[in-house]
Amino acid sequence: MNTILVGAQWGDEGKGKIIDVLTEEADIVVRSQGGNNAGHTVEIGKEKFILHLIPSGILRPGKKCVIANGVVVDPIALVKEIEGLEKRGIKLAGRLLISETAHLVLPYHRALDEARELRKGRDKIGTTKRGIGPAYGDKAARTGLRLIDLLQPKVFSAKLQARIAENNAILESLGGEQLSFPEVEKAYLEAARKLRPFIVNTVVWLHRQLETQKTLLFEGAQGTFLDIDFGTYPYVTSSNTTAGGSCTGSGIPPHRMDRVVGVMKAYTTRVGEGPLPTECPEVSDLLHGMGREFGATTGRARRCGWFDAVATRYARMVNGIDELAITNLDGLDSLKQILVCVAYDLRGKRLLYPPNDAEELLHCRPIYRKFQGWQMPTTDVRHFKKLPLAAQRYLTALAKLTGARLRIVSVGAQREQTFRT
Ligand code: GDP
Ligand code: IMO
Ligand code: MG
């Protein structure tokens, strides 16, 4: 069974945690889009890991992990992540494979990301400033450099020199920092020496694994509403975060995919700018007060709100979500009453799906259904039927409103705080 796992909201749904759970049944975990803008948290006992580029499956001994062609790789950040994991006793040799056709994030991408955000002022996207947008921009413009280039120092240096000259001119016009070719060249070639043993043709390697009946688990990064096509454009990331991105980002054809799991929180969060119809200060205060909902990559406070079934209904549709994993149920444990957005009101019109224009979305007023809270801790519960009745009703309603089967419930950050329904 090959599984695609996607975020059904605005990212940070708890994908890392659910991937860690599902990796038990998979042989290989694949990242196929995004870059180190992602921050996937896995807590195992007293240990907490935050993965940015390396699939979360790496924490399960013996499982193999692939950074496939659709990912944009910052080699310096990747070396740091590899070394950080090795220091903590995670063995990577022979377990991590990196695509030779993945595009590189270069220092001018980060500088451009930063300079453009600064110039936008109040209209900024609120990016992670990891250079993701400019790196995908170069890929589409056919001016990107790939890992395959990095493995050929002469080819790499020549291309890099030309790219730095052009980007320094752009950066100058934007008031950004100038980059030194020899410094970048040295740092990147050094990273290349460390990454070389991991770099392969992942398309051919993955297909060989399929021939021997190995099962794949695709670890989506970001979430449906950050997708470049289906998200709240322009307040999105620069890749296809939805299920289709797993195919184009890995070379595994659609008919080899068996199921799509959508991960969603029992409420909604978003980090960065852009519309968030159910945003609610009361929910933000509650969760931040519990020390929760601070970004795993940038540390920024996440904006919080009620569960938005208009959003997850759309996510189910565009991803083809079969099964749902609902996380962070415990975040709502103390509430007397919980609201769920079941439709939007746009100037008197009732909408079941979000409008495509981010401006229109700003004008949408959530139509809420009220649910009774359960006001008791759920963190020690391990069976659906042992949940307070109000919590059972709440979860059943979220799945029904979204239109997919509830399969996994998460009631805490720990690996064990998870159960299947
Ligand atoms: P990802 O990007 O989708 O992998 O999610 P993040 O790791 O960025 O954010 C999810 C946060 O919620 C992390 O701090 C997780 O440890 C935490 N988390 C995941 N599931 C649960 C849960 O059911 N309950 C609690 N309390 N925390 C959770
Ligand atoms: P994971 O995989 C939440 C958001 C940024 C910003 C927008 C564009 O951990 O769920 P970018 O740096 O990609 O150009 O930023 O996307 N963003 C995320 N939000 N979780 C993520 O990843 C995100 N990756 C990017 O905050 O609003
Ligand atoms: Mg995250």
Side-chain angles (χ1 to χ4, degrees):
M1 181 100 133
N2 298 323
T3 301
I4 299 173
L5 179 139
V6 291
Q9 296 162 321
W10 277 267
D12 302 329
E13 295 91 347
K15 298 177 295 293
K17 183 194 155 155
I18 303 301
I19 284 286
D20 173 63
V21 170
L22 292 179
T23 300
E24 242 188 323
E25 305 153 10
D27 298 302
I28 301 155
V29 185
V30 185
R31 271 282 305 271
S32 52
Q33 44 72 228
N36 60 333
N37 48 349
H40 296 178
T41 315
V42 182
E43 292 194 24
I44 310 164
K46 288 199 173 72
E47 295 248 49
K48 177 172 170 172
F49 296 88
I50 299 178
L51 297 130
H52 299 287
L53 274 163
I54 298 174
S56 306
I58 206 75
L59 303 175
R60 296 267 185 187
K63 306 290 177 169
K64 299 207 169 164
C65 289
V66 175
I67 297 174
N69 55 280
V71 176
V72 286
V73 176
D74 180 333
I76 312 284
L78 180 53
V79 167
K80 217 171 128 193
E81 196 169 333
I82 289 172
E83 289 175 350
L85 286 174
E86 281 174 340
K87 262 196 210 123
R88 295 177 74 175
I90 312 289
K91 295 204 170 28
L92 291 155
R95 294 183 58 215
L96 177 67
L97 297 102
I98 309 168
S99 166
E100 56 194 9
T101 59
H103 277 249
L104 295 172
V105 177
L106 284 140
Y108 47 81
H109 295 133
R110 281 196 305 274
L112 286 169
D113 195 353
E114 178 122 29
R116 286 182 182 142
E117 282 283 275
L118 212 74
R119 273 173 85 91
K120 284 194 185 116
R122 283 166 57 99
D123 294 330
K124 70 176 197 268
I125 296 165
T127 73
T128 59
K129 297 191 180 152
R130 298 296 190 267
I132 305 299
Y136 276 116
D138 270 357
K139 177 178 177 176
R142 294 151 295 172
T143 49
L145 298 185
R146 303 185 293 177
L147 281 152
I148 205 165
D149 300 314
L150 192 60
L151 294 184
Q152 308 167 67
K154 276 204 184 114
V155 174
F156 176 72
S157 296
K159 288 186 180 176
L160 180 70
Q161 191 159 25
R163 298 301 300 141
I164 288 193
E166 185 181 314
N167 281 289
N168 271 346
I170 301 172
L171 282 164
E172 193 179 5
S173 72
L174 293 172
E177 62 174 287
Q178 293 290 292
L179 295 164
S180 142
F181 163 65
E183 272 174 33
V184 178
E185 182 193 39
K186 183 166 175 273
Y188 272 62
L189 290 178
E190 204 174 299
R193 278 190 286 278
K194 292 188 183 143
L195 296 180
R196 184 178 287 275
F198 299 103
I199 301 172
V200 298
N201 180 334
T202 53
V203 176
V204 172
W205 187 85
L206 281 168
H207 278 269
R208 290 224 169 98
Q209 305 309 304
L210 284 181
E211 282 162 19
T212 59
Q213 317 309 320
K214 295 279 192 298
T215 59
L216 310 182
L217 172 59
F218 290 84
E219 177 171 351
Q222 291 82 50
T224 300
F225 293 92
L226 294 172
D227 184 285
I228 187 143
D229 283 281
F230 305 107
T232 53
Y233 194 90
Y235 302 99
V236 293
T237 191
S238 300
S239 66
N240 281 120
T241 63
T242 43
S246 303
C247 296
T248 53
S250 70
I252 301 300
H255 75 280
R256 298 304 307 261
M257 305 296 190
D258 300 300
R259 82 173 159 170
V260 180
V261 175
V263 186
M264 54 197 209
K265 279 176 174 152
Y267 46 90
T268 306
T269 66
R270 169 168 209 164
V271 57
E273 308 305 315
L276 186 64
T278 61
E279 186 167 14
C280 168
E282 185 194 333
V283 182
S284 284
D285 290 348
L286 169 79
L287 295 162
H288 293 154
M290 294 158 84
R292 301 162 66 136
E293 302 308 345
F294 294 93
T297 296
T298 56
R300 291 177 292 174
R302 295 176 183 148
R303 299 154 60 195
C304 306
W306 301 112
F307 186 88
D308 184 346
V310 178
T312 60
R313 191 180 287 136
Y314 188 68
R316 186 259 298 149
M317 187 166 79
V318 296
N319 291 294
I321 293 172
D322 305 294
E323 299 180 3
L324 291 170
I326 302 185
T327 67
N328 288 275
L329 180 71
D330 54 303
L332 304 177
D333 280 352
S334 64
L335 292 174
K336 196 165 173 198
Q337 180 178 271
I338 303 168
L339 304 187
V340 170
C341 168
V342 295
Y344 295 156
D345 178 300
L346 180 62
R347 300 184 193 97
K349 231 174 115 186
R350 188 182 164 94
L351 303 183
L352 290 179
Y353 294 99
N356 280 323
D357 186 351
E359 275 296 311
E360 289 275 274
L361 190 52
L362 276 177
H363 290 102
C364 285
R365 297 280 151 257
I367 300 171
Y368 285 117
R369 186 186 297 172
K370 287 180 188 156
F371 286 81
Q372 202 192 336
W374 42 94
Q375 293 189 286
M376 61 174 89
T378 55
T379 46
D380 292 331
V381 177
R382 297 293 177 268
H383 298 280
F384 187 79
K385 292 278 173 212
K386 293 269 164 70
L387 284 170
L389 263 183
Q392 292 186 30
R393 277 196 206 108
Y394 182 70
L395 289 172
T396 305
L398 298 194
K400 192 159 176 232
L401 285 164
T402 302
R405 200 166 147 223
L406 177 61
R407 284 287 290 156
I408 299 176
V409 178
S410 169
V411 290
Q414 290 284 323
R415 187 184 262 177
E416 295 73 37
Q417 291 177 301
T418 321
F419 53 88
R420 288 168 206 258
T421 62

